[in-house]
Amino acid sequence: MPQLDLDTLESWLWDSANILRGSIDSSDFKNYIFGLLFLKRVNDVFEEEVDKLMQEEGYSRAEAEDATYLKVPAEARWEALKKVTENIGVALDKAFAAIEYQNTELKLEGVLTATKFGDKEKLSDETLQRLLRHFNLHSLRNEDLYTPDLLGDAYEYLIKQFADDAGKKGGEFYTPRGVVRLIVGLIRPQPGNSVYDPTCGSGGMLIEAARYIDEHSKDRKTKFVNVQLAGQEKNLGTWAIAKLNMLLHNYSADLRKGDTLTDPRHLTGDKELMLFDRVIANPPFSQDRWWTPAETNPTKKLGRNGKETEVVPNYASVVADPFGRLLYGTPPRSYADLAFLQHMLAVLRQEGRMGVVLPHGTLFRGGAEGTIREKLLQADLVEGIVGLPSALFYNTGIPAAIWVLTKTKAPERRGNVLVLDASQEFKAGKNQNELEETHVQRILAAYEAGQDVDKYLRVVPLSEIKANDYNLNISRYIDRSEAAAAIDLAAVHVALRELEAKEAEIDEKLERLLEEIGL
């Protein structure tokens, strides 16, 4: 049997979405397809490992099944599930629950069972039979794949395709690959680093950080990448996808569920925040009502009409963070952007680096955000700002910027901020623009060099930023306008004289013609 290449695999998996069309919302396709994808992969790898143990170690079938790394109980075996003709969804739900139960050391609880296949109003037995037949078309054994990580690459492809298909909903779990590669390149994770994403979504940034380390390691392509990955995700379904994504990429990651701002889960035994070497994130842009305790316990006041009305909470006075993360100020109720940034800064080691994608408004908005920005700059924590093109993201058309922060700047970068305008670095698309690899590499090369490039990059001293009231709007520091051409007054004067002479000649001819016709 020929090995399965990436193009064939991607096409095969995307065709499974067509089977689901009309049954469920397109934004939910990923949950069902990813679950079946994992189930088929687990079964094929399990059978592959059993065959190998029987051949190489002389084990019996029962002994080999008991010795495999990942256990697949009888009710979760693919061959058995293919034969089910009634209540197929219920059988699949039981299969996923059994795998979770038999593999507690992999911490899969709630991952596979997050999606329910047993609701016949959503998925009929006929639809599920078609899906199982479709997933049975190809083997997902390691020996039948071009590379063991091919499935992980296809997984990322599907995440992108579902983001395209789901429109704005897609942006909740997918950050475009070019943006991910750029931000990872800006923070440059190293072998042995711990990397943390407080809004990890489907885990793409953590996976790219591990890949970066692998690609830049002296011992490339070893079985294990020397990195510790950690992340937190609020959405249960997205968290489950991230867990599967890590397993399909053969990465181990400490991914936890919950709201990072109000309930950070990565804590030490002393209930202090864990610290990380690299912190990376694309948090939801300008999240409203981001401090849950203030919103769930509203205060009331008696109006002039005698009726009680809810008092809009003043976050500056009601937000009390027990972890002391809002050191530089409390962001306003309608903009959580700088709350996420300060959380990331609080968990960053002294020698660490962090990169976060935030909307352009964070560069210039005033009020509480202006005060926070001023304090961050005064503390010389901001190493660089990279302005991105508009329409890159699936959940918004507005432009964004990458903030690069570090608590210990390199000596040559102290007292300055690198401001890079990458707004023109994109390939135009129908719905979204794309940051291609050539764009990413040009940005990274210019940023790393840290030298002024006309209309592209400036090393801006903090004194100049202070003179601009700590406004970081990129257009204040990089002028992309073209200089007007110099005017040669002497030449213009000569041209005017020539025009006047021609005008006089035309008037004279007109007078003669009028006389000839008697006017």
Side-chain angles (χ1 to χ4, degrees):
M1 178 183 292
Q3 289 181 322
L4 190 64
D5 60 50
L6 182 59
D7 289 340
T8 303
L9 184 59
E10 289 175 348
S11 176
W12 172 51
L13 293 173
W14 184 243
D15 284 344
S16 64
N18 293 326
I19 297 174
L20 288 171
R21 292 191 191 280
S23 299
I24 57 175
D25 189 84
S26 61
S27 63
D28 292 328
F29 286 175
K30 63 184 186 301
N31 301 324
Y32 295 93
I33 293 176
F34 291 162
L36 289 175
L37 172 65
F38 182 76
L39 184 61
K40 180 65 162 63
R41 167 71 165 160
V42 162
N43 268 273
D44 287 354
V45 171
F46 173 78
E47 291 296 332
E48 184 177 38
E49 189 174 358
V50 167
D51 288 346
K52 185 176 181 180
L53 288 169
M54 291 172 64
Q55 293 172 10
E56 296 181 0
E57 304 295 335
Y59 287 180
S60 67
R61 173 83 191 188
E63 290 172 334
E65 288 182 0
D66 190 53
T68 57
Y69 170 67
L70 195 147
K71 305 296 185 290
V72 180
E75 59 267 43
R77 301 284 170 86
W78 189 259
E79 290 302 317
L81 291 169
K82 282 194 309 180
K83 298 174 183 177
V84 179
T85 57
E86 294 182 349
N87 298 319
I88 298 174
V90 174
L92 288 170
D93 287 340
K94 289 181 178 178
F96 289 125
I99 292 175
E100 285 186 2
Y101 180 76
Q102 291 292 329
N103 295 276
T104 54
E105 70 280 2
L106 296 181
K107 299 180 180 179
L108 294 176
E109 183 180 358
V111 175
L112 301 174
T113 53
T115 301
K116 303 301 180 185
F117 285 79
D119 186 349
K120 286 192 175 183
E121 292 186 4
K122 288 185 176 181
L123 292 173
S124 66
D125 281 336
E126 181 184 0
T127 299
L128 287 172
Q129 270 191 328
R130 288 181 63 199
L131 273 175
L132 289 172
R133 285 198 299 268
H134 182 73
F135 273 93
N136 199 52
L137 291 175
H138 295 285
S139 166
L140 296 180
R141 290 181 174 222
N142 287 319
E143 63 185 12
D144 294 326
L145 300 178
Y146 178 71
T147 169
D149 193 37
L150 189 84
L151 194 57
D153 291 338
Y155 194 99
E156 287 187 2
Y157 165 82
L158 279 174
I159 290 175
K160 180 182 184 301
Q161 293 302 322
F162 286 129
D164 284 336
D165 204 49
K168 291 185 178 180
K169 290 184 180 179
E172 296 177 3
F173 59 88
Y174 176 76
T175 301
R177 182 71 179 273
V179 177
V180 175
R181 287 187 64 82
L182 175 57
I183 193 170
V184 169
L186 288 169
I187 66 170
R188 303 189 301 276
Q190 304 296 310
N193 277 173
S194 54
V195 184
Y196 167 71
D197 184 344
T199 58
C200 66
S202 57
M205 285 192 171
L206 293 174
I207 289 170
E208 186 59 40
R211 274 186 179 158
Y212 180 95
I213 292 173
D214 192 23
E215 290 171 0
H216 292 80
S217 173
K218 294 180 181 179
D219 301 320
R220 277 198 67 191
K221 305 303 177 187
T222 55
K223 186 174 182 181
F224 299 104
V225 179
N226 185 14
V227 64
Q228 300 172 51
L229 303 177
Q232 185 164 335
E233 173 55 42
K234 183 177 181 179
N235 182 284
L236 175 63
T238 308
W239 168 82
I241 289 174
K243 291 279 286 187
L244 296 183
N245 203 359
M246 292 296 168
L247 287 170
L248 291 176
H249 279 86
N250 299 318
Y251 291 138
S252 175
D254 179 7
L255 303 182
R256 306 189 187 184
K257 295 174 286 184
D259 186 329
T260 302
L261 293 181
T262 60
D263 186 21
R265 295 296 178 86
H266 290 84
L267 306 175
T268 66
D270 298 328
K271 300 300 180 182
E272 299 288 334
L273 293 169
M274 289 183 184
L275 299 181
F276 301 91
D277 300 300
R278 298 290 187 271
V279 184
I280 188 170
N282 174 22
F285 286 179
S286 301
Q287 181 180 319
D288 190 18
R289 305 185 182 197
W290 50 272
W291 193 258
T292 308
E295 302 295 341
T296 54
N297 299 292
T299 57
K300 305 279 186 178
K301 71 175 181 179
L302 194 64
R304 293 181 179 179
N305 58 3
K307 295 183 178 180
E308 281 190 340
T309 58
E310 185 176 321
V311 178
V312 176
N314 177 4
Y315 275 30
S317 60
V318 301
V319 174
D321 177 36
F323 300 100
R325 292 169 293 173
L326 304 178
L327 182 64
Y328 300 94
T330 303
R333 185 190 193 204
S334 300
Y335 301 108
D337 307 304
L338 296 184
F340 283 111
L341 182 149
Q342 289 188 85
H343 167 78
M344 295 171 68
L345 196 58
V347 299
L348 184 67
R349 292 189 189 279
Q350 187 63 37
E351 302 296 328
R353 294 174 62 80
M354 61 169 273
V356 56
V357 185
L358 298 176
H360 256 222
T362 57
L363 301 176
F364 55 79
R365 287 194 295 245
E369 289 185 299
T371 301
I372 296 170
R373 188 172 58 247
E374 177 179 341
K375 291 179 179 179
L376 291 170
L377 288 163
Q378 287 176 341
D380 205 8
L381 295 169
V382 183
E383 179 186 276
I385 299 291
V386 178
L388 297 173
S390 59
L392 282 181
F393 298 89
Y394 292 90
N395 55 346
T396 178
I398 65 172
I402 297 174
W403 290 61
V404 182
L405 285 81
T406 178
K407 294 179 178 178
T408 307
K409 283 187 179 181
E412 66 274 13
R413 294 194 171 178
R414 291 172 189 164
N416 298 300
V417 175
L418 271 66
V419 179
L420 192 154
D421 183 356
S423 60
Q424 305 306 306
E425 298 279 6
F426 66 92
K427 176 185 176 183
K430 183 178 179 181
N431 297 316
Q432 274 82 34
N433 294 325
E434 182 180 356
L435 199 65
E436 295 188 311
E437 187 63 21
T438 53
H439 304 129
V440 171
Q441 293 306 319
R442 183 182 179 217
I443 296 167
L444 291 176
Y447 190 93
E448 183 65 22
Q451 301 294 322
D452 286 0
V453 179
D454 188 40
K455 302 183 185 304
Y456 193 66
L457 183 147
R458 273 197 64 206
V459 180
V460 184
L462 286 175
S463 57
E464 182 178 343
I465 297 174
K466 179 181 178 181
N468 281 320
D469 294 325
Y470 296 98
N471 187 317
L472 284 174
N473 200 346
I474 293 171
S475 61
R476 285 181 177 246
Y477 306 101
I478 298 180
D479 183 9
R480 296 192 63 88
S481 62
E482 297 295 334
I487 299 174
D488 188 339
L489 293 177
V492 171
H493 185 69
V494 171
L496 286 173
R497 288 298 178 90
E498 290 176 353
L499 288 172
E500 289 173 354
K502 287 182 180 180
E503 183 181 12
E505 184 180 344
I506 292 170
D507 287 343
E508 185 179 343
K509 288 181 179 180
L510 181 60
E511 287 293 333
R512 286 200 304 268
L513 288 171
L514 291 173
E515 287 179 0
E516 288 176 4
I517 62 176
L519 293 177

